[in-house]
Amino acid sequence: MKPVAIAPNIYWVGAIDWDIRDFHGYSTYEGSTYNAFLIIDEKVTLIDTVKKSHISELLHRIRNIIDPKKIDYIVVNHVEMDHSGALPEMMKIIEPEKVICSKMGHKALLQHFHKADWPFEIAESDSEISLGEKTLSFLETRMLHWPDSMFTYVKEDKILFSSDAFGQHLASSERFDGEVNQAELMHQSAKYYANILTLYSPVVQKLLAKVNEMGLEINMIAPDHGILWRDNPGQILEAYDKWSRHEADGSALVIYDTMWHSTEMMAKAVADGINDEGVSVQLINLRTNHRSDVMTKVLTASAIALGCSTLNNGLLPRMAGFLMYMRGLKPTNKIGAAFGSYGWSGEAVKLLNEAMEGMKLEIVDPGVRIKYVPEHDNLTECVELGRKIGKAVKAKTV
Ligand code: FEO
């Protein structure tokens, strides 16, 4: 459990969570890390802490460098418990001179830990503090992704400590972008954006514009989860620009759940029709795909066709849950269509259309409903629906 030097007198002292597989509903098959950083200067400074369960790892890494009691300042970039859960215990051990946080961070820390006597110092946006050799400047990043979120920038080393932004849930023995599989790194970054930040895309756009306008030179981006962007920080900035503009890739998804395979037969026919138009399509059964993996694909898809059987005048529970999840994340700039089989009442297609309208998807067809089990003509109707979706995708991507 060694610390890792990331710049002269700046160390990664965080924790690696190899075991976590669920992050409030987001599947983390590759674990995660809780990144914390120690700056050795006249004023020794700890940036963020870790999840409460991982405090011994944090302390062990710090003790390899310095006695924790010698830490003067703690910077809290983000109050969510995966970064502040260890804070109360660290406060007792360190007894720091200052706890530096945003205005909203101050409120949130009080509401989490109820310790009005902690030595808070509010960091205004663009304010600076000297640690001796190094200077920290602060940038409030409200709603990226909590009201309290802020970035801390070390001017001399040009390192941006970016809180949750630019992170990935990826446990590894490596700490830097150039040391890991690039496809896996970008996949995990996209999954993180899709499941945590899609809703805040307008805020991401404003932030990227502000960073440009400030002419902030960035040698390294150090998020609170996963790999640090040292070798190619431009790569993740470009990806965030593309994802936050909802840039679509010309592909389509057919996402469905089925009771007795009728809606599944329809889904396959819809996918065939999309593919007939030369559009790449993926068939996604909600029984076998986790909602957070589906959202990762939704992030860049141009079209989504939703299929569901009717159950008790409504939707199957997996589809209802997925729609609730997707609606919260507000993906935009997509074409939509619905289909489904039913026995007598048949509300599913109407409900799917209403959900897509609520998300401002561009619905290209009223949808296809089929009673009980589809036969050849019914499946042909589904292929036609697919073709219509495929044509709409092509028209939009030309
Ligand atoms: Fe990683 Fe919003 O906490």
Side-chain angles (χ1 to χ4, degrees):
M1 289 199 274
K2 288 182 189 162
V4 178
I6 66 167
N9 292 320
I10 305 181
Y11 299 87
W12 174 84
V13 290
I16 306 172
D17 191 344
W18 296 95
D19 294 334
I20 190 166
R21 290 293 179 270
D22 178 87
F23 214 99
H24 41 66
Y26 168 165
S27 64
T28 49
Y29 306 125
E30 300 298 332
S32 192
T33 74
Y34 313 114
N35 295 337
F37 305 92
L38 186 69
I39 302 176
I40 304 296
D41 207 331
E42 283 168 36
K43 293 294 182 184
V44 178
T45 300
L46 178 65
I47 299 183
D48 290 320
T49 69
V50 298
K51 204 171 173 181
K52 191 176 180 181
S53 52
H54 287 69
I55 189 169
S56 61
E57 230 179 292
L58 171 69
L59 279 168
H60 187 75
R61 287 200 166 92
I62 293 172
R63 284 183 177 129
N64 271 319
I65 304 165
I66 198 170
D67 179 350
K69 289 184 193 308
K70 293 190 174 158
I71 293 172
D72 299 287
Y73 301 160
I74 300 180
V75 174
V76 179
N77 274 337
H78 183 26
V79 179
E80 194 166 3
M81 288 288 201
D82 48 332
H83 310 294
S84 74
L87 186 60
E89 194 55 33
M90 293 302 283
M91 288 296 296
K92 282 187 208 158
I93 296 168
I94 296 171
E95 296 181 347
E97 190 183 321
K98 290 180 183 177
V99 174
I100 301 167
C101 57
S102 66
K103 190 174 166 190
M104 298 304 282
H106 178 225
K107 280 189 186 172
L109 284 168
L110 289 175
Q111 287 158 348
H112 275 71
F113 303 116
H114 316 288
K115 299 284 186 193
D117 59 343
W118 284 359
F120 291 109
E121 178 159 310
I122 309 288
E124 300 290 344
S125 223
D126 302 324
S127 67
E128 289 185 1
I129 183 168
S130 172
L131 304 182
E133 297 284 317
K134 297 182 194 288
T135 316
L136 302 185
S137 67
F138 305 99
L139 180 63
E140 264 195 280
T141 55
R142 281 191 198 192
M143 299 320 299
L144 199 64
H145 68 130
W146 273 25
D148 55 85
S149 301
M150 78 173 187
F151 288 0
T152 298
Y153 179 69
V154 182
K155 287 177 89 170
E156 293 72 15
D157 301 282
K158 302 181 173 55
I159 300 177
L160 185 68
F161 294 100
S162 62
S163 181
D164 274 344
F166 311 117
Q168 336 87 46
H169 287 309
L170 178 60
S172 67
S173 53
E174 292 72 32
R175 298 274 64 81
F176 300 107
D177 52 344
E179 301 172 336
V180 297
N181 179 290
Q182 295 301 294
E184 177 70 11
L185 175 61
M186 291 316 291
H187 171 70
Q188 294 299 342
S189 299
K191 182 169 181 176
Y192 191 94
Y193 189 94
N195 286 280
I196 296 182
L197 296 171
T198 302
L199 170 64
Y200 306 112
S201 291
V203 186
V204 173
Q205 275 291 302
K206 275 188 196 153
L207 173 78
L208 293 175
K210 170 141 189 172
V211 167
N212 248 339
E213 178 195 310
M214 289 165 76
L216 206 62
E217 285 182 64
I218 298 174
N219 281 349
M220 190 189 303
I221 299 175
D224 271 356
H225 294 290
I227 291 300
L228 316 186
W229 303 91
R230 175 191 66 182
D231 300 309
N232 189 5
Q235 181 180 196
I236 193 66
L237 290 170
E238 278 167 32
Y240 266 51
D241 181 43
K242 188 178 77 173
W243 295 330
S244 59
R245 283 188 287 104
H246 302 283
E247 197 177 290
D249 61 8
S251 72
L253 307 173
V254 178
I255 303 167
Y256 71 97
D257 196 1
T258 189
M259 278 172 78
W260 292 106
H261 302 290
S262 291
T263 301
E264 183 174 49
M265 290 164 72
M266 296 174 74
K268 288 178 178 173
V270 171
D272 278 354
I274 293 171
N275 200 229
D276 281 350
E277 292 297 326
V279 169
S280 176
V281 61
Q282 287 185 62
L283 204 61
I284 299 174
N285 184 341
L286 288 176
R287 287 188 194 205
T288 50
N289 290 275
H290 192 278
R291 70 181 86 81
S292 54
D293 292 319
V294 183
M295 274 313 301
T296 310
K297 293 176 192 292
V298 167
L299 177 65
T300 51
S302 295
I304 52 174
L306 297 176
C308 189
S309 329
T310 296
L311 175 72
N312 301 332
N313 308 111
L315 296 166
L316 289 170
R318 278 187 203 85
M319 178 58 81
F322 175 70
L323 284 178
M324 174 67 82
Y325 188 68
M326 181 160 68
R327 196 159 40 201
L329 288 163
K330 286 197 172 68
T332 60
N333 188 32
K334 298 192 191 304
I335 289 157
F339 61 91
S341 82
Y342 68 104
W344 48 100
S345 58
E347 290 89 344
V349 167
K350 177 173 163 273
L351 293 170
L352 292 172
N353 278 331
E354 284 172 4
M356 288 190 286
E357 278 163 17
M359 287 183 272
K360 300 192 167 37
L361 266 62
E362 184 190 327
I363 297 173
V364 294
D365 189 275
V368 177
R369 296 191 322 147
I370 288 171
K371 211 159 186 181
Y372 290 118
V373 179
E375 56 183 350
H376 179 74
D377 288 351
N378 303 129
L379 292 177
T380 302
E381 204 183 337
C382 294
V383 172
E384 285 309 316
L385 175 65
R387 286 197 178 126
K388 204 165 176 180
I389 297 166
K391 285 189 176 94
V393 170
K394 285 198 296 187
K396 204 166 171 168
T397 42
V398 166

